Amino acid sequence: MTGPQDMTGPTASAQIRWGGVVWGLLLTLFAGSTLYVLASAERAAEVALWLRSLTPGSAWALAAAVLGLIIVVSALLGGIRASQRRRVRPRV
């Protein structure tokens, strides 16, 4: 039977969840830029003009670039997570 004294022993340090950190930073950057644009009527009008000036081809290219960025960030974070798991897993 184990008692409370077993709970106070040294424990492994918690790993940083890099996925949460990176996605949190990206969402903070997106929210900050959105607030920056919406804080001024001139900036909002400039962004609206820019969006209206996009051709269908440039809109698709922009969407593909955003999707590509999401894929690259996800792949990098997956690689980081896999290396963290390999480092923690005991060798038999």
Side-chain angles (χ1 to χ4, degrees):
M1 186 166 153
T2 60
Q5 67 274 12
D6 294 334
M7 299 292 209
T8 60
T11 59
S13 62
Q15 288 185 356
I16 295 175
R17 300 298 302 251
W18 287 107
V21 171
V22 171
W23 287 118
L25 288 173
L26 287 174
L27 286 174
T28 302
L29 180 66
F30 177 74
S33 61
T34 301
L35 285 174
Y36 175 77
V37 168
L38 295 177
S40 168
E42 294 90 21
R43 286 191 293 262
E46 289 174 7
V47 169
L49 178 64
W50 173 71
L51 287 173
R52 282 193 303 267
S53 70
L54 289 176
T55 64
S58 61
W60 279 107
L62 182 62
V66 169
L67 181 62
L69 176 67
I70 291 170
I71 290 170
V72 167
V73 169
S74 297
L76 288 173
L77 292 175
I80 290 170
R81 184 68 182 140
S83 70
Q84 284 179 333
R85 285 184 180 153
R86 276 194 304 269
R87 201 173 351 148
V88 171
R89 190 177 300 158
R91 299 197 185 253
V92 178

